[in-house]
Amino acid sequence: MEALRSEDPRRFGRFTVLARFQETASAVRYVARDTGTGETAVITAARPALAAVPAFRRRFEAEARTAERLAGGWVAPPLETGDGEAEGAELLWTAAGYVPALPLADAIGIAGPLPERALRILGAGIAEILSRVHAGGAVLQGLAPDTVLLAGDGPRLTAFGPLGAAATAEARPGGQLSVRLGYLTPEQVAGKEAGAPSDLFVLGLLLAYAATGTTPFTEGPPEKAARRIAEADPELDAVPEELRTLIAGCLAKDPAERPTAGTVAAELALEGAAGLARGGWLPERLAAAVAEQEARVRALEGAWEAPAVADAVPELADAVTEVADSVPGAADAVPETDDAVPAVADAVPGNAVPGDAVPQEGGAVGTHAPADPRVPPAPDATASANANANATHDTGAIGEDRGTTRFLNTGPKPPRSDRATTQLALPHQPPPLPAVPAHQHTHGSPAPYPAAVLPGSAGPGSGQGINGRSSNGQGADGQGGSGGPMVALPLPPAPAPPSGGPALDRRGLLTVAAAAVGGLVVGGGAVAVIGGGESAVATDAKPAAPKPRRTLPGQPPEPRWIYAHPSSESAPLTAALWQDRLLVVTSESQASAVDLRTGKRVWQRADAADGQAALAAGDLCFVAGPTEFLWLAPKDGAVVHRLRYADGFTDLPDLQVGRLAGHSGAVVWFTGSHTVTVKAPKPKKGKKQEPDKKVVQAHLFAYDIVRRAELWRTPVPAGRAPGTPLYRVVAERPADILVRQEPSTLTPADVKAAKGKGSLRCFDRETGKLQWTKQYGTAGPNAGIAGDESGILYASVGADLQSFEADTTKPLWRVTGTEGSYFGTPLVAGPFVHTTERNQQIGAVERETGRFVWRRSTEVPVIGGAPALTVSTTGETLFAADAAQVTAFSAADGERLWKFQDIGVADPKGETVNAPYRALASGANVIVQRARSFYAFPVA
């Protein structure tokens, strides 16, 4: 963390900037204060030179949308995305809540390799994010030691695409953008595009780095690193034995042999990263460092709250500098000067190209070896390097073997771009561009390693490096620059230009090549050249279907099919199953039927727009619409019968039918209302005639959808305007049904009379006659409630779950809940009452005694209300669906079988998906829905 510089913006929308927090290749991150709420936030602001490139802006915005779709769990929800002006400069930024955390690279520098339990939590948390990304057919490409943070409750991810994880980013002529990632994978070495397995390879590198402090391809000369990546076995001897097989699987050369993200998450932490991290997970030194960082940020907040500081930003900057200086070693994280660099450069004879000058402790400066091994290094440079090595040994700092493969940017020296970066599809040598500041460690603690001493490389190239040095090897002052070694890799042939067209298609190219720089692997670095016309597509391309894998505990089974409701059509409103043969999806424009065997849409019917339910009426499909009942042919959706409410209920003109209250066999129950005119009584002599009154009359109906006949109707109190009360059947008994009115349709008079309590009504199934209306304890009108066929009710009462005799309201037993939480709607199945709580606890209670048989957590953060429960048709599997995922449990003993998350719409330009998950049991399948996406999973 450091004080603001003169060129830094002071405000981003409603956020006031307090200090610089971190720099990346493509952005600067600031600590800021929300002037509206007073909360602390982290602003990620694109570098102005890059933000001016249209391709960069599109990619930045796409990655921001990905972050929104992934929000929750280990991804902090974005607070705001800005694209405006401040202090006369156009800005591109996002804001997210501040979470005290250390980048993985800094954590390794402070405390060394992580212990096994911390490794499991780290890997499981990141794998859980990857599983959501890959479920939508996308690729993340956002993993790096500086994009993975270690917080007190688990890991966090801060990059959601190649821009966020870029080692270097350069603007090119013609609106192109060159982005270099800090790693290579075997498939990229072969010139192929990255897919979902590529993320797993990098996860393996990340875990090996966290376990050992280095990456696994260490032995051998740097210039042969690409070959080692493609052919050599990883060095994993220092990895804990319990994790070695899994990490080795992630680093398999064949992408098809790597495990899926779900498999990795399950093998590392079957109970989930959140569950394993309970009670703390960071080593003592890291926990102290996180607490220290939080204290420093709080000090900034306190400084801002002081009136004198609030009125004087320069004085605030001084205060920030003092806070940073108060932390030992904080200033060492960023070199103060490069004055020693020219002297080293001058020591190189002739045209030899020196390596990077590396500031060391005590002011010593080391250099990389010359690019050409045949050219000996300058004596002064060699001596300096040796002195640096000795200094590192004497001070006890963590040094690095010169042959060690490591992650990019884990040393204090800003990275230098390659002089000979491979540029694909570039028609000519572009002129130098303005410099973009380099990625530095600015988290307030020393980076873990000095920059690696690696052979440099000479070669032609062009374009300005991210650190201000041109890629042709010349620094900004004309002196020789430096860069990493260049590895020649096989590249796919460039596409032939269209006949008569230009040599370069400027509508948009994303080509991935290899250019060596000391990255995750020596010689690693994927370069993406993004054209000016379109945003990059390779990182979002759907990977090839993986080979079938055996199902492991925690990993969802492979879906039998996936159906995506077309984005060109209105979004689904309801989804229901018809005889385990069709999935019927209704929207504002139509109803669609999907074959449950194949996942293919078989018909569409505009007549059934805005419909609800999809019930079996003999051999027909019954759909209730806003103005009519429809009976559709399941084969093609043709309308076989139609009953308009105006025709079927002629004595109730303008009948408004509400949502179906419930159904049993061929009988459906629903409410409806209509308005009648009540004539005013004849006035007494000498009095004025009162106007006639409009009165809403409401009824509860029973209707046989096979015989297409009304069974009965009974008057009920009208609801809140427009007047139709909405009922839900909470229990069916042989002789009657118990219903509850939805609280949103209660009139103000009803609410006042209830005094905060909910009530149930009992109606005779044969005649519709109202039997009684009762209240149960202090159960509120919104309380989760369900009943069984024997007349026992199970209701949420405060934080507890209580059972009652329906007819007498006598309490039977009580299950104690958790303070601050509450029970949702329970599910009665077999001998159990399955419970769901807002704190994400799912359980099974014996119906007779109220004794908990089991109680488990879904292991996701609390989002919204209690998960909704569904049981498989066999009764063996219980599903809990909430805003974050679907979790499958064994209904008998609560064993967590698997969980499923998706990212929603995979298209970077697609709409943000915030819809909760829903599970529908169908034969041997469970259909999981989230917004437009439907997945059919096999279940027991």
Side-chain angles (χ1 to χ4, degrees), residues 879-920:
F879 304 97
D882 53 38
Q885 66 185 32
V886 171
T887 311
F889 298 90
S890 168
D893 57 15
E895 177 187 359
R896 196 176 77 164
L897 304 176
W898 51 263
K899 63 180 180 180
F900 171 74
Q901 300 170 323
D902 79 344
I903 193 176
V905 180
D907 181 4
K909 299 181 181 179
E911 60 187 344
T912 299
V913 178
N914 296 315
Y917 291 83
R918 185 185 179 201
L920 303 170

Side-chain angles (χ1 to χ4, degrees), residues 725-737:
L726 297 181
Y727 285 0
R728 181 174 69 87
V729 175
V730 299
E732 299 175 32
R733 299 192 292 186
D736 50 36
I737 58 173

Side-chain angles (χ1 to χ4, degrees), residues 186-215:
E187 52 269 30
Q188 289 172 305
V189 171
K192 299 177 182 178
E193 290 185 353
S198 303
D199 283 337
L200 272 299
F201 187 89
V202 182
L203 177 60
L205 292 175
L206 196 79
L207 290 176
Y209 169 71
T212 65
T214 185
T215 45

Side-chain angles (χ1 to χ4, degrees), residues 346-586:
D346 292 342
V348 182
N351 294 325
V353 182
D356 288 347
V358 182
Q360 302 292 343
E361 296 189 27
V365 177
T367 67
H368 292 291
D372 190 339
R374 296 170 298 180
V375 180
D380 291 346
T382 305
S384 178
N386 293 336
N388 169 51
N390 294 334
T392 301
H393 176 75
D394 294 341
T395 61
I398 301 177
E400 180 177 334
D401 189 338
R402 295 169 186 250
T404 296
T405 302
R406 63 182 178 83
F407 286 96
L408 185 63
N409 300 334
T410 54
K413 181 66 180 176
R416 308 294 189 183
S417 62
D418 283 350
R419 285 185 294 273
T421 296
T422 303
Q423 300 175 33
L424 300 185
L426 293 179
H428 55 80
Q429 299 290 349
L433 296 173
V436 179
H439 178 172
Q440 302 179 13
H441 281 274
T442 57
H443 299 280
S445 60
Y449 298 117
V453 184
L454 301 175
S457 66
S462 60
Q464 192 76 3
I466 193 167
N467 54 6
R469 296 179 180 269
S470 63
S471 59
N472 63 3
Q474 297 298 317
D477 56 359
Q479 300 296 331
S482 67
M486 178 62 193
V487 178
L489 300 175
L491 300 175
S499 177
L504 173 66
D505 177 6
R506 294 195 178 274
R507 289 193 58 203
L509 297 173
L510 175 64
T511 54
V512 179
V517 69
L520 291 188
V521 289
V522 176
V527 178
V529 180
I530 303 174
E534 298 289 343
S535 60
V537 295
T539 55
D540 297 312
K542 188 169 184 178
K547 294 180 180 179
R549 303 177 186 276
R550 65 186 181 92
T551 300
L552 298 176
Q555 178 189 7
E558 292 292 331
R560 288 182 167 144
W561 50 258
I562 301 175
Y563 168 71
H565 195 70
S567 58
S568 59
E569 301 176 10
S570 52
L573 297 175
T574 67
L577 304 175
W578 182 81
Q579 288 193 342
D580 289 337
R581 288 172 51 190
L582 295 177
L583 169 67
V584 180
V585 180
T586 64

Side-chain angles (χ1 to χ4, degrees), residues 94 154 248 361 367 386 409 414 427 451-452 475 533 554 578 589 603 655 705 743 748 793 821 857 934 939:
T94 63
E361 296 189 27
T367 67
N386 293 336
N409 300 334
W578 182 81
S589 58
W603 54 257
L655 178 66
I705 60 176
L793 294 176
S821 184
S857 173
F934 296 83
V939 295

Side-chain angles (χ1 to χ4, degrees), residues 30-69:
Y30 300 94
V31 179
R33 184 182 180 87
D34 187 329
T35 56
T37 65
E39 298 295 323
T40 306
V42 174
I43 305 292
T44 301
R47 297 186 182 276
L50 297 173
V53 179
F56 178 94
R57 297 182 70 85
R58 286 190 292 273
R59 174 55 51 178
F60 186 94
E61 292 164 354
E63 293 184 13
R65 287 193 294 272
T66 298
E68 291 177 357
R69 290 194 286 267

